[in-house]
Amino acid sequence: MKNNDKTGASAPRMKKNLLQDKVMRFLEKENRQSFNYKQIAFAVGATHPANRMDIINLLEELAAAELIQEVSLGKYKAISNRGTENVGIFVRRSNGRNGVAIDDEVILVAERNSLHALNGDKVKVEISAQRKGQEPEAKVIEILEPKDQVFIGTLQVEKNYASLVTDSKFLAADIIIPRSKLKGGKSGDKAIARITQWRDEEMNPRGEVVDILGKKGENTAEMHAILAEFGLPYKYPENVEKAADKIGAGITPEEVSKREDFRGVTTFTIDPRDAKDFDDALSIRQLANGNWEVGVHIADVTHYVAPNSVIDREAQQRATSVYLVDRTIPMLPEHLSNGICSLRPDEEKLTFSAIFELDRSANVVNYRIGRTVIKSNRRFTYEEAQDIIETGNGDYAKEVLTLNSLAQSLRRRRYDNGALEFDRAEVHFEIDKDGHPIGVYFKASKEAHQLIEEFMLLANLTVAESIGKVPKGKKAKSFVYRVHDNPDPEKISNFSQIALRFGHRVKTEGSAKEVNKSLNRLLKDVKGKGEENMLAMLAIRSMAKAVYTTDNVGHYGLALPFYTHFTSPIRRYPDMMVHRLLAKYADGARSADKLKLEDQCRHSSDMEQLAANAERASIRYKQVEYMQDRLGQIYEGVISGVTEWGFYVELNENRCEGLVPVRDLADDYYDYDEKNYCLTGRKFHHQYTLGDIVKVQVARADLDRKQLDFALINDEGNPNKPVEPKKGSKNPRHNPKDKKKTRTRGGNERRKGAK
């Protein structure tokens, strides 16, 4: 990452009065947005290194004098001169801290002034004049656009009334349900309800049951509740299932004649043991010139799913399959995903393929992309393929070993070119027949996984390049790209400072290739060390999120100028979009509507994020359920997050994460230092910081909130014992000037929320 400053140290240092004038003018001109000190420095041309510190100090002074406002940590804007009426998005919280988001600022709204607006509603508000030393307040005067939403909770049915005790962090009140609107629900049922009325004078909203999920605590009911919480479907519409059931394989001589025939070429799939939707297969044969022809064959889903059909509309809305801890909710009906489109062994299948001629060093000599027909010879699990790689024995050993050798060459070249090497072991649960977790195990990426990964990456980048890379003077046609933007320099800088505490240096300036090689070195150096998992996670968090878009900016993490998703159309709608565009352009059609494609890309990116959130929620639920059986047990772990309400600890044994609440740290008053990710005791100066190894006891397991609480155990095995500092000792990590203080007494601090 190159420094964006154009003048740098050669620019003259501005005097403070001129600097203040420029800063105030800039903030007043851009009064609807907030900025950090780097953005402000760049905007006013203060590129001399010394001016950076001048601006940090100046912003703090101006905020203290109430000439500007700090709307969030390190972000400043002009004092609002907005009119008394504004439009914003209502933010409701179960802890009562309601607000309205206007531009970058959230303004407090007391419940009595909320008109009972719900989280996400578009509202018109009246803002009171800000009094010195107090936060501004707003009053909702109209709900302009109510957000369509439902709430998940547990029914309590009494003789004369019923209510839904919600699990929502956005609603503190229970929903009153008339007995006629229960849909057959009984006490203890997990249910979905919507609010139908909430009168100004009433404390509780009224509503109706939308669906009954099952008994509270039952595995399927709880998994469906998680899906519903994120607005994700948990069952298929009957008309979509019926439409899918009518589709036949259709592998006729006429259809085969239109395709390249690979039925006589050695072909196999390698997938997880429990997979049913095999959407990719590899073929391999040696050519007369000694090179290898490798085919990456992908299920031809779009041959069966017509654009704008009932199945297509459902798939487009879902955008992705959802993988919870114990189940898959497929994007396509099972008749397609696990049946007709799945590349099962010994069955003829229609595919869309990228076929490569590779030399012995895995250099691509030639490639072609087109529709094919295959017949898989063998279905391998990853474990079976790995056994062949390690022993050299087994079915199709020569082909598997050749593919592995080529894949490892591709992999080495990728990392030499600056790709990032994030290789974290995945946590999996052993689950009994009732869905209860009885064990935890870790899945590391081995060569068999890498074999598949490398050829999928090769197919994806080649497909993207085939459309996006055009001769000079010509314009590329609209296409769907998978992009990963450059990381925020500030996040990388913060990460490097944390890594330095553990003795690891990370390069923060220079080319992307240099920075990534530095990160890869760190990730290798921390293997097997206590800080490994935490630093790997923080490194990932310092990166931008990968998204789908028609505007190609390249893929930073893979160090590729072109990249897309072509290889999983059974489970990702963007891959279906890519297949259709490839076929369209192969027929000589003009460029597709870019705006329409971009809307579909944005929706797919949003749904991908929702699916990831639901997956994480299901893992948290199983972690809490697993640890519920281990209350009172003591574990060693690493501090994985620090907040004003306590610190999070990830257990070494099973990667379960829980909170040590600051209210339980009764030995001292603790100050939260956000910049240095630590809590520091005022009297004894004991410090809890990111990466510290601690011993904890499992204290509470709240399944409704998916929350674990730990009690801290000191080295002597006694909880909450004050730690006396040694005489004359100093804490090198504690700098009072760096602190953003949150004055907290361990026993009195109120829990603020989740990480």
Side-chain angles (χ1 to χ4, degrees):
M1 287 166 297
K2 294 177 182 175
N3 194 324
N4 288 327
D5 295 346
K6 293 180 180 177
T7 51
S10 61
R13 183 177 182 179
M14 285 188 205
K15 292 185 177 178
K16 188 175 179 181
N17 57 350
L18 175 61
L19 194 61
Q20 179 171 327
D21 183 58
K22 280 180 171 284
V23 168
M24 290 298 295
R25 284 175 182 273
F26 169 70
L27 291 176
E28 285 165 3
K29 181 184 175 186
E30 305 289 343
N31 60 29
R32 294 181 70 82
Q33 295 184 60
S34 61
F35 304 89
N36 63 32
Y37 82 91
K38 289 185 179 179
Q39 293 167 321
I40 293 169
F42 184 82
V44 302
T47 55
H48 189 285
N51 273 147
R52 291 292 180 91
M53 188 53 68
D54 292 340
I55 281 188
I56 292 171
N57 294 332
L58 177 62
L59 291 169
E60 290 178 353
E61 290 169 11
L62 292 173
E66 297 188 355
L67 296 172
I68 62 172
Q69 55 184 327
E70 187 176 12
V71 296
S72 61
L73 185 69
K75 296 197 80 175
Y76 299 87
K77 67 180 292 187
I79 294 288
S80 177
N81 291 319
R82 59 166 73 91
T84 56
E85 287 189 6
N86 268 269
V87 173
I89 301 298
F90 194 78
V91 181
R92 177 172 284 280
R93 292 288 182 267
S94 60
N95 61 8
R97 291 286 295 177
N98 302 333
V100 60
I102 302 173
D103 302 326
D104 289 333
E105 187 178 2
V106 177
I107 301 170
L108 187 69
V109 179
E111 182 60 41
R112 65 181 180 280
N113 295 325
S114 71
L115 277 187
H116 297 317
L118 297 177
N119 192 62
D121 287 353
K122 187 175 181 180
V123 295
K124 183 186 283 187
V125 295
E126 188 178 81
I127 301 169
S128 60
Q130 186 174 354
R131 288 177 287 181
K132 190 170 182 179
Q134 292 188 341
E135 293 182 59
E137 285 198 37
K139 178 181 180 180
V140 178
I141 55 177
E142 187 181 355
I143 298 173
L144 301 173
E145 292 177 19
K147 182 184 177 184
D148 186 29
Q149 57 192 299
V150 293
F151 296 90
I152 295 90
T154 305
L155 286 175
Q156 286 187 351
V157 182
E158 307 294 341
K159 185 176 180 180
N160 298 316
Y161 75 97
S163 63
L164 184 85
V165 181
T166 66
D167 300 340
S168 176
K169 59 186 175 185
F170 302 123
L171 188 67
D174 298 341
I175 301 172
I176 305 301
I177 312 275
R179 291 179 65 90
S180 60
K181 301 288 185 181
L182 283 172
K183 266 201 162 184
K186 300 178 178 63
S187 279
D189 281 350
K190 202 86 176 183
I192 304 172
R194 70 164 59 92
I195 291 173
T196 55
Q197 185 183 55
W198 198 349
R199 293 172 181 160
D200 287 350
E201 69 277 8
E202 291 181 336
M203 293 290 291
N204 296 78
R206 297 166 187 257
E208 62 184 8
V209 170
V210 175
D211 200 7
I212 302 295
L213 299 174
K215 280 292 176 189
K216 176 183 170 68
E218 286 181 353
N219 186 57
T220 293
E222 296 296 344
M223 292 300 106
H224 285 179
I226 287 169
L227 291 166
E229 176 189 348
F230 291 97
L232 296 168
Y234 49 90
K235 56 188 175 184
Y236 252 98
E238 195 175 329
N239 64 326
V240 179
E241 294 272 19
K242 284 182 177 177
D245 289 342
K246 292 177 182 176
I247 296 173
I251 304 177
T252 62
E254 182 186 3
E255 183 59 41
V256 169
S257 69
K258 300 174 187 175
R259 297 167 178 262
E260 189 172 355
D261 193 344
F262 278 81
R263 289 176 295 180
V265 183
T266 301
T267 303
F268 44 77
T269 60
I270 305 177
D271 288 282
R273 187 184 305 147
D274 56 353
K276 294 176 183 176
D277 54 344
F278 313 138
D279 52 10
D280 57 79
L282 294 176
S283 69
I284 182 170
R285 61 182 166 188
Q286 192 162 24
L287 302 176
N289 62 5
N291 288 342
W292 294 98
E293 182 189 77
V294 177
V296 180
H297 305 288
I298 308 303
D300 193 357
V301 173
T302 56
H303 173 78
Y304 298 103
V305 180
N308 208 35
S309 64
V310 65
I311 300 171
D312 185 55
R313 288 195 299 271
E314 181 71 18
Q316 184 178 338
Q317 182 58 37
R318 291 176 178 237
T320 180
S321 294
V322 183
Y323 295 88
L324 299 188
V325 73
D326 70 331
R327 68 194 61 209
T328 299
I329 294 82
M331 181 183 77
L332 295 168
E334 285 194 17
H335 178 66
L336 290 173
S337 61
N338 295 353
I340 283 178
C341 294
S342 186
L343 307 184
R344 298 183 297 200
D346 302 318
E347 295 181 15
E348 293 182 350
K349 296 290 179 177
L350 302 181
T351 45
F352 213 137
S353 306
I355 299 111
F356 301 93
E357 181 184 343
L358 301 169
D359 65 19
R360 293 182 183 278
S361 300
N363 295 302
V364 177
V365 178
N366 276 306
Y367 75 86
R368 61 192 184 276
I369 299 166
R371 284 187 148 131
T372 55
V373 58
I374 69 164
K375 186 177 182 181
S376 174
N377 301 94
R378 176 73 149 83
R379 182 256 162 136
F380 288 105
T381 65
Y382 280 119
E383 291 80 7
E384 289 170 338
Q386 186 63 33
D387 186 60
I388 293 170
I389 290 167
E390 290 175 3
T391 66
N393 300 315
D395 293 346
Y396 303 103
K398 180 185 176 184
E399 289 85 351
V400 171
L401 292 170
T402 301
L403 285 169
N404 183 57
S405 175
L406 293 169
Q408 290 303 315
S409 295
L410 290 169
R411 191 174 183 84
R412 282 191 296 273
R413 194 176 305 135
R414 272 201 310 117
Y415 293 134
D416 287 344
N417 289 336
L420 281 170
E421 190 173 0
F422 288 119
D423 189 19
R424 298 182 72 230
E426 293 181 9
V427 181
H428 291 261
F429 289 94
E430 291 177 31
I431 290 172
D432 66 18
K433 61 182 177 60
D434 298 318
H436 187 75
I438 55 176
V440 177
Y441 63 97
F442 304 101
K443 273 190 178 179
S445 176
K446 296 187 176 181
E447 286 164 290
H449 298 84
Q450 294 163 8
L451 186 162
I452 294 299
E453 180 185 16
E454 292 306 321
F455 283 108
M456 297 308 116
L457 287 172
L458 179 62
N460 285 334
L461 74 90
T462 303
V463 165
E465 205 171 60
S466 73
I467 303 298
K469 192 175 183 179
V470 294
K472 271 191 175 180
K474 289 200 172 183
K475 190 177 179 182
K477 291 180 177 179
S478 299
F479 200 59
V480 174
Y481 296 98
R482 178 70 167 178
V483 306
H484 185 222
D485 210 346
N486 290 357
D488 184 319
E490 192 170 359
K491 286 185 178 179
I492 283 288
S493 178
N494 289 344
F495 172 71
S496 73
Q497 290 170 25
I498 295 168
L500 193 59
R501 293 179 192 165
F502 297 93
H504 306 292
R505 293 190 176 275
V506 177
K507 195 174 179 65
T508 59
E509 293 184 348
S511 69
K513 185 174 179 179
E514 291 170 332
V515 172
N516 285 2
K517 283 193 171 183
S518 171
L519 279 168
N520 286 342
R521 274 195 302 274
L522 175 143
L523 294 170
K524 283 182 181 176
D525 290 345
V526 299
K527 282 283 183 189
K529 296 181 180 176
E531 67 269 23
E532 175 188 356
N533 200 46
M534 184 205 65
L535 286 179
M537 179 57 72
L538 287 175
I540 291 169
R541 288 176 186 170
S542 71
M543 297 289 128
K545 278 187 169 60
V547 296
Y548 299 105
T549 180
T550 56
D551 294 319
N552 182 41
V553 297
H555 199 293
Y556 177 86
L558 295 173
L560 294 172
F562 299 94
Y563 193 67
T564 190
H565 274 169
F566 161 77
T567 54
S568 293
I570 288 177
R571 61 186 178 90
R572 294 187 304 227
Y573 194 78
D575 300 56
M576 289 177 61
M577 294 164 64
V578 165
H579 283 215
R580 285 176 178 149
L581 289 170
L582 285 171
K584 177 186 176 80
Y585 295 152
D587 290 340
R590 64 177 63 185
S591 186
D593 184 333
K594 185 173 181 178
L595 290 177
K596 185 178 178 182
L597 283 179
E598 187 61 35
D599 283 345
Q600 291 175 334
C601 285
R602 192 177 300 111
H603 174 71
S604 294
S605 297
D606 291 344
M607 294 304 290
E608 177 187 40
Q609 187 60 55
L610 278 179
N613 291 343
E615 180 183 358
R616 283 193 289 269
S618 76
I619 291 169
R620 281 198 306 273
Y621 185 90
K622 289 299 172 192
Q623 285 179 336
V624 176
E625 191 178 9
Y626 179 72
M627 297 306 291
Q628 201 174 41
D629 298 335
R630 289 153 181 80
L631 290 174
Q633 292 187 17
I634 294 173
Y635 295 87
E636 191 171 80
V638 177
I639 294 181
S640 55
V642 183
T643 70
E644 60 193 282
W645 55 84
F647 56 83
Y648 290 86
V649 176
E650 185 180 81
L651 305 182
N652 296 336
E653 183 179 309
N654 52 40
R655 299 272 173 88
C656 292
E657 188 180 58
L659 178 74
V660 176
V662 74
R663 65 169 181 261
D664 291 347
L665 300 177
D667 61 306
D668 206 343
Y669 288 91
Y670 280 85
D671 291 324
Y672 172 49
D673 181 351
E674 186 163 7
K675 183 178 177 183
N676 290 305
Y677 301 93
C678 64
L679 288 167
T680 306
R682 288 194 213 166
K683 184 176 180 182
F684 301 116
H685 307 297
H686 192 74
Q687 190 177 82
Y688 300 104
T689 192
L690 213 56
D692 284 353
I693 297 171
V694 292
K695 200 174 286 185
V696 294
Q697 185 176 44
V698 184
R700 288 175 287 275
D702 188 334
L703 272 173
D704 289 337
R705 295 180 179 273
K706 307 178 189 74
Q707 218 161 253
L708 277 175
D709 279 358
F710 295 149
L712 187 69
I713 305 291
N714 73 0
D715 290 337
E716 287 76 37
N718 298 316
N720 303 324
K721 182 179 176 182
V723 180
E724 297 286 351
K726 294 177 184 176
K727 285 187 177 180
S729 68
K730 292 182 180 178
N731 192 334
R733 292 185 294 197
H734 178 61
N735 183 354
K737 291 182 180 178
D738 289 338
K739 276 193 305 189
K740 178 197 175 190
K741 285 188 179 179
T742 301
R743 290 178 170 82
T744 60
R745 168 61 172 161
N748 297 329
E749 173 64 5
R750 185 164 176 253
R751 181 96 169 242
K752 300 287 179 70
K755 185 171 63 164

